[in-house]
Amino acid sequence: SYQSSGHHIAKLDPLGIGAADLDDTVPDILTLEHYNFTKQDMDQYFQLPKYTYLGGDEKELTLRETVNRLERIYCGSIGTEFMHMHDPAAREYIRKWIEKPGISSMTSEEKRILLARLVRSTRFEEYLAKKWPSEKRFGLEGCEVLIPAMKQIIDIASARGVENFVIGMPHRGRLNVLANVCRKELYKLFNQFNPDMAPEDEGSGDVKYHLGMYHRRINHLTNKEVELSVVANPSHLEAVNPVVCGKVRATQFFDGDEHGQRTMAILLHGDAAYSGQGVVYETMHLSDLPNYTTGGTIHIVVNNQVGFTTDPRFSRSSPYCTDVAKVVNAPIFHVNADDPEAVMHVCNVAANWRTDWGKDVVIDLVCYRRNGHNEADEPSFTQPLMYKRIRETPNVLKIYSNQLLEEGTVNQSDIDSELVQFDSILNDAYKQSLTMTKMKLTDWLDSPWDFFFECDENKVPLLKPTPPTGAPESVLKMIAEKFSADPPIKVHPGINRILKGRKKMNEARMADWALGEALAFGSLLMEGYHVRLSGQDVERGTFSHRHHVLHDQDVDGKTYNALQNLSSSQQKYSVSNSSLSEFGVLGFELGFSQHNPNALVIWEAQFGDFFNTAQPIVDQFISSGQDKWYRQSGLVMLLPHGMEGMGPEHSSARLERFLQMCNDNEDCIYEGVSSDQQLWDCNWQILNVTTPANMFHCLRRQMHTKFRKPLVVFTPKSLLRHPLARSPFDEMSTGTIFKAIIPESGDVTKAKKVLFCSGRVYYDLLEEREAAGLVDEVAITRVEQISPFPHALVHEELARYAPGVQMSWVQEEHKNSGAWAYIKPRLENHLAGDVKLSYCGREAAASAATGNKKLHKREYKNFMTKAFEI
């Protein structure tokens, strides 16, 4: 009963005014009356059951002593939830760690270390409050024990062999974690408070409580070197969780850490966010999936017992804010944050659990927030009684100092010495910060790639030209042959037909979309680049075109992947169907891409518009991450896109949203600026390609540029099997490159009209032009790279046409969608004289596409008719 329900009456609230599980009642099963015990039974001896460690070496105890011990263990400052775990061995493990007599005892030296860490945590916040009283800093007051807790976890994990710690956290306490856990130079941190300090390097920067960092240092208790990184994050609470896990997974992959024994994630949460944000659930559900597991994450909830202003009784339906963790059978330790020794004990258990079991664990630090949501906020407007009690409550340093003084573990001079020593460190750092004239965004990188960039003498990365991205014919032929060869398993008859079709293409030296993609992947693997493809149904492909993982028809779980069997010297190819998650999985792949630039990391949406459930990752991380945090990523997003009569939800990948976030200037034609310089300057690349060869080149270009930029490709659906959407090997062989523009290939001297377009609508235009007999009169030019806009190539293309030729932009999307708003000002800047750019496409609409087939065809006919009016 105590093991399953004791946590409900544990003394968890430091303020003593509420119950952490929102229920003040005592469960019947925790009362003696429930079992018909009387006072006379209290001193009677009972034999202890085998499934408890309560007695230590004793085999029986009086009922009174048994109850006393159970209440100390399960109803004191720690409330443990573990009986929901399915594995009996796991429950036994937790039981042993919390029930053995004396297991939570600390030595005098350990207590002094804990006190010193509390001094630093508390004094740091007091110093910032005194120096910058009007600044928002989202201080840790009310949960100062977080710093010793994190350091304890790192100490234990380091002793157990963990070398790398990747931390994700919200803004509360972030500066304290940077300073006292990761040991960020204090003068650089203080410099962030200077309102007149401008950045020395490129980028817009971010507020100080969003910044990340990377640092290597010696752990003084284990004398081992540890690597600590705090991942930069936005104010979108919990959005950083999957990013951290992806970064951990990548670190483990490149280090050959198969079981996650050397790198681990520590995720910090707020109570309201942990129970309220869906990405928490999405991320935790990745924890045991083979291609996403990281060997366990330690979650620490800074449980303020209030949201911004919202009472927990109105912000969650579950008893605890941590109940979401039960879906993955994680043990949960609720602990009173004003009992530092209890906190240290649960940290010991959690760190050992993660190392021994390789699974998630949750520490719920039940605390309070001494100030409002930020230092300028007035919390008494909405929580008057809570804040009256908070004003009467001494901080945890005062509580623990008094405890150690009463024990005789320290004397007042010991405490004063710690305070004076740290005050001196803070003052010296502040004086040093006053000597700084610039701040560097590079000082706050969480994933430095020092080995990757070629730099000048000032360590500024140099722009190097991108080499041709073609591959030797022999390599293309070898990959194509292996990709189409009969596999060593019994496959579905439909797969045999697909393989036969691939063999015919190989003989003709032609590639369709699936083969073009496979040639890109395979050639990069042969060059030593890791390729990782992730998303819903990517192994087969949403449209059944890819078939990278073939399944034996007779043996369950037996598969074959041709691209993983090209050569004994190739790099690993990882292709994995993900959980039905966009936010969590896209964030995970972003994190993976940030650890090492030598990996082509791809997330493919099942349908392009499904990316919108991952919008915070797109907006807050991918599109703006380099500008805010000086952090590059080569992540690729593949978004199936096309108006093919499938209705509002399976048509548009919302190209216009991505183009709206591009950072190039619509009023500038970038004369004399090279394509490499444009790529270097852009925040991401937006492509809508029409040939397998261009798909091949854009993927290879991601690895062959000397820097990394996110790539968003609006990929086709019907073109995957379109007979004209094929490319000869000659367009992918040595010396060939990506074509940002594919000009009209025919004679343009008689052209009266030029249609600029992008994506699959080109093939519709081609068919309609042929049917109308306007091959000579109408030229069609494809813009394959929409952003950064290929100004030089467009200017060159326009020079081919006689003055006065009509110019139109054709798109299948609605006028308020697609590329029109982006293309119009940029293309018009290149049009001379009185030539106007006209629009041919669907009219503006609220819905992405109609769900009515007849209306779809009518819309198509209308804009096609307009396109060929001369």
Side-chain angles (χ1 to χ4, degrees), residues 555-571:
V555 183
D556 182 46
K558 187 176 182 181
T559 61
Y560 180 74
N561 183 341
L563 292 179
Q564 186 53 41
N565 290 276
L566 299 175
S567 165
S568 60
S569 60
Q570 72 171 90
Q571 181 54 276

Side-chain angles (χ1 to χ4, degrees), residues 837-852:
L837 181 68
S838 64
Y839 168 79
C840 300
R842 288 178 165 86
E843 294 302 315
S847 177
T850 177
N852 183 280

